[in-house]
Amino acid sequence: MQNTRLAKLLEFLESEPNDTFILYALATEYNSLNDTENAFVYYLRLVNDHPDYVGTYYHLGKLYEKQGETDMAIDIYQKGMARARAKRDMHALSELQGAYNSAAGLDYEDD
């Protein structure tokens, strides 16, 4: 049985099938429900159809990491960083850089 929020988002999607916020919200909702298959569907749709929706890259990368797909995560973080730079979105760039560094094993901690 679908939860009420998911049902409402799917209803919104019927009337606005290309709305980036609705697509993102669906991906996030599926992710929170541990429905990784559907989360991937919507995150990948955003990356392919709306590549400038920069917030997608961080969450898609984290989902890849959760699935043990570190190389895919690193690739997504790199693509997201390029988009964030192009949009001059320094906040997103910083978050993506941090996620990239962590996934790539580049975290430096003081001893």
Side-chain angles (χ1 to χ4, degrees):
M1 184 164 123
Q2 294 178 340
N3 70 28
T4 305
R5 186 177 4 201
L6 181 58
K8 196 66 164 168
L9 288 169
L10 289 168
E11 184 181 314
F12 289 148
L13 186 65
E14 285 183 29
S15 60
E16 297 290 335
N18 288 310
D19 184 290
T20 54
F21 180 76
I22 295 169
L23 293 168
Y24 181 79
L26 274 165
T28 302
E29 185 66 20
Y30 279 120
N31 194 20
S32 73
L33 296 170
N34 292 315
D35 184 342
T36 55
E37 184 178 334
N38 278 310
F40 273 119
V41 166
Y42 287 99
Y43 283 137
L44 290 170
R45 182 171 167 190
L46 279 163
V47 167
N48 291 325
D49 297 347
H50 307 281
D52 286 334
Y53 201 76
V54 178
T56 305
Y57 295 90
Y58 178 88
H59 294 285
L60 177 56
K62 287 296 180 185
L63 188 55
Y64 275 123
E65 283 190 74
K66 183 177 163 184
Q67 297 299 308
E69 299 282 345
T70 306
D71 291 341
M72 292 295 293
I74 289 170
D75 182 57
I76 287 297
Y77 294 141
Q78 288 174 323
K79 289 176 181 174
M81 287 186 294
R83 290 291 179 172
R85 272 189 208 95
K87 290 184 72 172
R88 300 189 192 289
D89 185 338
M90 295 302 115
H91 178 74
L93 177 59
S94 175
E95 287 184 340
L96 286 160
Q97 184 70 60
Y100 170 83
N101 288 349
S102 178
L106 302 175
D107 282 340
Y108 303 106
E109 294 182 24
D110 293 337
D111 290 331

